[in-house]
Amino acid sequence: MRREGSVITKKKRLQVKSQKNKLIAEQPNRMLVRQLNATLNRKLKSIQHHLTAQQADLQQYLMKTLQDVIHPPKEVPQDVVYKQLNVLFITPCNDRASSSISILVEQSLRHLVKSIYEIKAIQPVGPYLERSKTDLVLVLGGEEGEILPEESMEALRTSTVKKALWLTDLSGVKHSEAFISIFDYVFTQKAKNIPTYGRMSNARCYEVPFPPNPNVYYPQSVLKQDESDVYIIGDAQPGSSLVDLANHALLSGKVVRVEGEGWERFGSFIPVHAQEDRAALYNGSKMVIQDNSSVRSVLEVAACGTFQLNSILTNRNLDTDVFQSYNSQEELTQKFDFYWNRVDQRRLAASRAMAYVKYNHSYLQSSLQLLDRIFR
């Protein structure tokens, strides 16, 4: 029995040993399999990442193609070199107010374009368009309405040359739809006129006011008769900030000039008439207050070195914060009282505004702005 048990035990040992040897023999194979699996997983992840990236790129390409079909990309126009442009400049004949402006505009354009040829509105336009390579026709429009004869209007109407009209329309819209519709671009002195011109034509309309004439609007001494304490520009509408100020004790005993409608009931104020010299009146005033005025008026006051307070609406069209503004009757009276009693602060603010106009609103810069609107 002992011998038989010994034999069984020996068999078991041999079996265990055999299994161990088998496990030892299989271990390298399992390690090899794990290494192969790890290698395959890395490669599969790399392939999966590559396929995902390709799929994303394909989706973006398909979306862009679809967008291009629905909304074709606009052609980017080539930059126009202004020094290669030939400009035909048409000016009014008997408009005295426009004569000095036309000279300043022509002088500025000569610095910007290749050539500029000026003719008076009474001269026929057709022959000049036929015998010269004109890139732009610029018409300076007067306050009196149409300035071109029918023959010239017809020649411009049928011409493919770019046509622009720069209006002197401070007193409102005076030109007819037949005249305005000739032009591709209309430039006005007052933003409030733009909707009217838009209804009259398909022209692109912009506010580009004429800068102050440096030969007219500058700091100067004036006669006693042109002096005043306060110069108010704007209509006397009931409940407005200007009317509230007019009734305020702050103006008591002061010499006040008023320009606008509705001031008749303020008998102590001095009305300003159309023919009066604005440059002298601006220089003669200690403070100018404006409400809903034109940008041109603001720039002219500043060019004279006179302090001004403007409504937020007036200053809105000026891309600067150098002009003092008010947004309510209370703010107007507070700022009026503050600056009236601080002469040095008034002079400092006026000097900053005058420097801004000098360096940012010259005829050269406005002419460049006009060309940018047309060709950019």
Side-chain angles (χ1 to χ4, degrees), residues 107-280:
Q107 290 174 345
S108 299
L109 286 173
R110 286 197 184 280
H111 292 287
L112 299 171
V113 300
K114 178 182 178 181
S115 67
I116 178 167
Y117 193 82
E118 182 188 359
I119 64 172
K120 292 298 180 182
I122 197 172
Q123 297 174 256
V125 175
Y128 294 97
L129 292 175
E130 294 170 2
R131 65 171 178 250
S132 63
K133 185 183 181 304
T134 303
D135 300 295
L136 171 67
V137 176
L138 176 60
V139 178
L140 196 68
E143 288 272 5
E144 303 303 321
E146 268 70 347
I147 64 168
L148 296 175
E150 182 58 38
E151 179 185 359
S152 293
M153 289 173 63
E154 185 59 31
L156 289 176
R157 192 176 287 112
T158 57
S159 174
T160 58
V161 175
K162 289 182 181 293
K163 298 172 282 289
L165 175 64
W166 202 353
L167 291 165
T168 57
D169 56 349
L170 276 177
S171 62
V173 176
K174 298 292 179 65
H175 299 270
S176 70
E177 182 175 342
F179 181 70
I180 296 295
S181 62
I182 295 174
F183 299 93
D184 305 305
Y185 300 86
V186 174
F187 300 96
T188 175
Q189 301 299 303
K190 301 180 77 172
K192 63 186 294 185
N193 295 335
I194 290 178
T196 303
Y197 295 130
R199 290 191 294 269
M200 295 168 68
S201 71
N202 293 322
R204 297 181 183 181
C205 305
Y206 303 98
E207 180 188 26
V208 182
F210 295 121
N213 186 334
N215 301 316
V216 176
Y217 296 96
Y218 60 91
Q220 54 189 290
S221 301
V222 298
L223 301 174
K224 186 70 176 178
Q225 64 194 38
D226 295 323
E227 294 179 354
S228 64
D229 293 314
V230 183
Y231 186 168
I232 298 176
I233 302 175
D235 296 335
Q237 299 177 351
S240 68
S241 297
L242 294 185
V243 171
D244 288 337
L245 178 65
N247 289 316
H248 202 281
L250 287 170
L251 295 189
S252 178
K254 293 180 174 61
V255 178
V256 180
R257 293 186 189 276
V258 287
E259 179 178 344
E261 299 180 359
W263 292 105
E264 294 80 9
R265 63 189 181 92
F266 294 90
S268 61
F269 294 170
I270 306 171
V272 177
H273 303 289
Q275 69 276 11
E276 292 190 73
D277 182 357
R278 294 300 190 280

Side-chain angles (χ1 to χ4, degrees), residues 10 25 33 65 86 89 101 104 127 129 134 142 145 148 155 198-199 237 245 267 276 281-282 287 306 323 336 357 362:
K10 188 175 182 180
V33 170
T65 303
N86 300 302
F89 186 37
I101 294 174
L104 291 166
L129 292 175
T134 303
L148 296 175
R199 290 191 294 269
Q237 299 177 351
L245 178 65
E276 292 190 73
L281 297 182
Y282 294 157
M287 184 183 296
T306 300
F323 298 99
F336 180 93
V357 171
S362 66

Side-chain angles (χ1 to χ4, degrees), residues 255-316:
V255 178
V256 180
R257 293 186 189 276
V258 287
E259 179 178 344
E261 299 180 359
W263 292 105
E264 294 80 9
R265 63 189 181 92
F266 294 90
S268 61
F269 294 170
I270 306 171
V272 177
H273 303 289
Q275 69 276 11
E276 292 190 73
D277 182 357
R278 294 300 190 280
L281 297 182
Y282 294 157
N283 273 285
S285 179
K286 295 176 182 176
M287 184 183 296
V288 174
I289 300 172
Q290 304 200 57
D291 181 27
N292 200 20
S293 300
S294 67
V295 171
R296 185 174 168 184
S297 175
V298 174
L299 298 178
E300 288 174 349
V301 172
C304 292
T306 300
F307 175 80
Q308 57 186 316
L309 279 173
N310 303 322
S311 64
I312 287 288
L313 186 61
T314 299
N315 280 353
R316 190 172 295 162

Side-chain angles (χ1 to χ4, degrees), residues 32-66:
L32 180 61
V33 170
R34 283 199 296 269
Q35 289 176 354
L36 286 173
N37 286 338
T39 303
L40 287 173
N41 285 335
R42 284 197 301 270
K43 290 188 176 182
L44 285 172
K45 285 182 180 179
S46 176
I47 293 171
Q48 186 179 15
H49 177 74
H50 182 69
L51 289 174
T52 302
Q54 279 192 332
Q55 186 179 11
D57 291 342
L58 182 60
Q59 287 178 342
Q60 289 181 356
Y61 174 77
L62 291 174
M63 288 297 296
K64 184 178 184 304
T65 303
L66 184 62

